Amino acid sequence: MAAQSTPQTDAQASYDNPSTNTKPLRMRTNTAEIDSTIIHPGSVKINVKGAFIVDQESSSPGSSINGGTQDTKDIRLPNHTAVVSHIAVDIGGSLAKLVYFSREPHSREPGGRLNFINFETDQIDECVEFMKQLKIKQQKLNGSNPGELCVMATGGGAFKFYDKIREVLGVDVLREDEMECLIIGLDFFITEIPREVFTYSETDPMHFEEPRSDIYPYLLVNIGSGVSMIKVSGPREFQRVGGTSLGGGTLWGLLSLLTGARSFDEMLAHAERGDNAKVDMLVGDIYGTDYGKIGLKSNTIASSFGKVFRMKREAEREAEDSGGLANGDSAASYFPSPPPLPTDKESVSTNAPPVSNPDPTPAEGPFNASDISRSLLYAISNNIGQIAYLQSEKHNLSTIYFGGSFIRGHRQTMNTLSYAIRFWSQGAKEAYFLRHEGFLGAVGAFLKRQPRNWGRRGSFEDGEPFRRAGEEA
């Protein structure tokens, strides 16, 4: 599959709210409403009318907040005035994703916003401490007593860290099914949030899709530490049809061994600057040109990391000829060690990765850590893209959504997945992405605290429970 670069784009374009309100909105919530919210938190309705994605005023994507990373734009809810007495967290194998509602700071504007922040799961204590601070702020805002905030939790960590969250926060923790939350979250973004869903290509880097209600059936490819592929036939019917263990955790683990990078964002920053042609064996390396008869361009990857063994063997021969190797010594010193990484104070953004220290020069070796990072990113992404296409063909699905924290708005990842779907479908299918791709499960858990008919278009209107394919209604 061709490994092609794409121009730098702004993957976080802002959205101007087109709606205008003719009626004055309430500035405050009365005491009776607060009391009702505290006693019956499930009765709160989120008003999504006029919702839109906003630019961050005080922080930018990739900024650090209380040990977590705020790497996406908030969603403004200008017409929501009621109290929200819960937060939601999706704790996966690599990242914990948190969603919470807040009022507009230092403003007389009505409404509030949904905030998005993630923590490395290894730093779960920092995530729990952040939730504790949210609880304190919630008490100050509502004058409520300890224990009145509710935590909606999903993902494997909702079970693994259940006791820890309850002990530290002293609040109710409601655990929700991971797959159900993913679907609820995705449905919400597809149907309710303008400029959320988009396609990606070299010629049209971000082409936004309008929110719509006729969304079923579709395939959800959720790429976290591993990959799950879910066929969604309706608002309450789904089936996990496949997946792969080669996902974000694979990339993270291998690159931590091969490059010494300390975080996933740093690995993506390296990949942004690398040249996979120094590591991968391409069609052009074999044929000297395109293989036009079967539609393969010269820069199509024939073998990921296919050049490495040959270069290592050639290096050993050269070293032996010059007397540099003896008695089974290796040629490891011929290849570069991991380059210096940015300091903690330097921002690492997946949209425009800054790297203060350059990789070793070509004279120090045939390839560097950035080349390795790019090659492995393509290998993982190409594999996921082809499996996703095959699943869509098997189940006769024309719409494919990609979600999960593996993507991170990273243009090379999106371009590779998009290219895979277009290539194998011969242009008949598109890959769809989301600006909040890593928060589908957390948003779904947040919304599961809501009653039916809170503003969604169809998913909860009948109040029927979710069911997996094959289960009786």
Side-chain angles (χ1 to χ4, degrees):
M1 201 167 301
Q4 302 182 16
S5 61
T6 58
Q8 179 66 44
T9 62
D10 178 9
Q12 299 290 342
S14 63
Y15 172 71
D16 295 326
N17 180 15
S19 64
T20 57
N21 299 314
T22 57
K23 296 183 180 180
L25 296 172
R26 290 183 299 165
M27 298 299 297
R28 301 181 183 277
T29 303
N30 60 42
T31 304
E33 186 174 11
I34 293 176
D35 291 341
S36 175
T37 295
I38 292 171
I39 298 172
H40 306 289
S43 66
V44 179
K45 294 184 179 181
I46 302 296
N47 189 336
V48 296
K49 181 180 179 181
F52 62 97
I53 302 173
V54 297
D55 290 319
Q56 298 289 1
E57 294 87 356
S58 59
S59 59
S60 59
S63 60
S64 179
I65 300 178
N66 297 85
T69 302
Q70 189 168 12
D71 62 353
T72 187
K73 305 275 179 137
D74 296 343
I75 293 180
R76 181 81 164 90
L77 301 171
N79 293 294
H80 182 77
T81 57
V83 173
V84 176
S85 58
H86 66 280
I87 59 179
V89 61
D90 175 11
I91 309 175
S94 302
L95 294 173
K97 289 77 66 176
L98 186 68
V99 175
Y100 63 97
F101 178 84
S102 67
R103 296 293 175 192
E104 293 301 298
H106 313 295
S107 173
R108 291 185 56 81
E109 290 287 328
R113 63 179 62 196
L114 291 179
N115 302 268
F116 304 85
I117 185 170
N118 64 57
F119 298 79
E120 292 187 12
T121 304
D122 288 344
Q123 307 297 322
I124 191 63
D125 289 339
E126 293 182 359
C127 178
V128 175
E129 178 61 28
F130 185 81
M131 289 192 285
K132 183 178 179 180
Q133 296 304 313
L134 288 179
K135 171 189 170 184
I136 294 172
K137 293 179 181 178
Q138 182 80 4
Q139 290 174 216
K140 291 180 178 179
L141 175 64
N142 295 337
S144 57
N145 296 318
E148 289 167 352
L149 181 70
C150 175
V151 175
M152 306 294 293
T154 190
F159 297 87
K160 183 176 181 178
F161 301 110
Y162 175 78
D163 292 334
K164 176 189 288 288
I165 297 173
R166 286 202 60 179
E167 179 181 350
V168 175
L169 271 62
V171 302
D172 288 335
V173 179
L174 303 182
R175 292 173 289 192
E176 299 293 342
D177 182 80
E178 182 176 2
M179 297 298 173
E180 292 181 10
C181 290
L182 286 172
I183 296 165
I184 293 173
L186 178 56
D187 284 1
F188 168 73
F189 284 123
I190 295 172
T191 60
E192 299 294 344
I193 307 301
R195 297 179 69 85
E196 172 70 40
V197 179
F198 62 93
T199 57
Y200 191 94
S201 69
E202 291 179 297
T203 56
D204 190 7
M206 287 189 76
H207 179 79
F208 289 102
E209 300 291 317
E210 291 296 324
R212 58 194 181 92
S213 57
D214 56 332
I215 61 176
Y216 307 108
Y218 63 76
L219 180 70
L220 167 59
V221 182
N222 193 61
I223 314 173
S225 299
V227 183
S228 286
M229 300 183 185
I230 308 167
K231 175 185 177 181
V232 183
S233 303
R236 288 169 295 277
E237 185 175 355
F238 67 93
Q239 177 187 11
R240 186 183 187 275
V241 295
T244 172
S245 62
L246 304 181
T250 309
L251 183 72
W252 195 337
L254 289 177
L255 288 185
S256 67
L257 293 174
L258 296 172
T259 70
R262 295 171 297 181
S263 74
F264 196 68
D265 285 336
E266 287 175 357
M267 295 172 191
L268 293 180
H270 282 310
E272 183 78 17
R273 301 162 48 250
D275 180 4
N276 71 296
K278 295 180 180 179
V279 178
D280 297 336
M281 184 177 294
L282 309 181
V283 169
D285 296 321
I286 301 173
Y287 286 88
T289 183
D290 297 344
Y291 189 177
K293 188 175 181 179
I294 60 174
L296 297 179
K297 297 180 180 179
S298 62
N299 63 348
T300 300
I301 299 173
S303 174
S304 297
F305 286 85
K307 291 180 180 176
V308 175
F309 178 76
R310 185 189 65 190
M311 286 188 290
K312 180 177 182 293
R313 187 171 56 187
E314 290 176 353
E316 289 173 342
R317 288 173 179 170
E318 291 176 4
E320 288 173 354
D321 292 342
S322 62
L325 287 178
N327 300 323
D329 292 340
S330 73
S333 59
Y334 180 74
F335 298 95
S337 58
L341 294 167
T343 63
D344 292 338
K345 294 182 179 179
E346 293 171 326
S347 171
V348 178
S349 169
T350 56
N351 293 321
V355 178
S356 60
N357 299 302
D359 280 340
T361 61
E364 296 180 14
F367 56 83
N368 56 40
S370 292
D371 303 328
I372 293 172
S373 299
R374 193 171 188 130
S375 173
L376 190 58
L377 177 68
Y378 281 150
I380 299 294
S381 300
N382 280 329
N383 182 62
I384 295 171
Q386 184 171 14
I387 295 174
Y389 164 74
L390 292 173
Q391 290 289 359
S392 71
E393 284 291 286
K394 179 180 179 181
H395 298 280
N396 194 29
L397 301 170
S398 60
T399 305
I400 307 172
Y401 293 99
F402 287 89
S405 297
F406 171 79
I407 301 173
R408 301 284 190 95
H410 190 248
R411 61 193 182 91
Q412 291 173 334
T413 304
M414 294 187 295
N415 188 59
T416 304
L417 292 170
S418 294
Y419 185 90
I421 299 302
R422 287 195 302 271
F423 179 87
W424 293 110
S425 70
Q426 298 183 340
K429 299 181 181 183
E430 287 274 10
Y432 293 92
F433 303 95
L434 299 99
R435 294 171 67 182
H436 296 87
E437 73 279 281
F439 292 88
L440 304 184
V443 169
F446 187 90
L447 299 179
K448 285 203 73 175
R449 191 60 172 167
Q450 310 309 321
R452 60 183 179 179
N453 297 333
W454 66 274
R456 295 280 327 291
R457 297 192 185 105
S459 289
F460 300 130
E461 287 182 357
D462 298 325
E464 297 177 9
F466 269 77
R467 64 176 184 273
R468 292 169 173 81
E471 294 180 345
E472 293 185 1

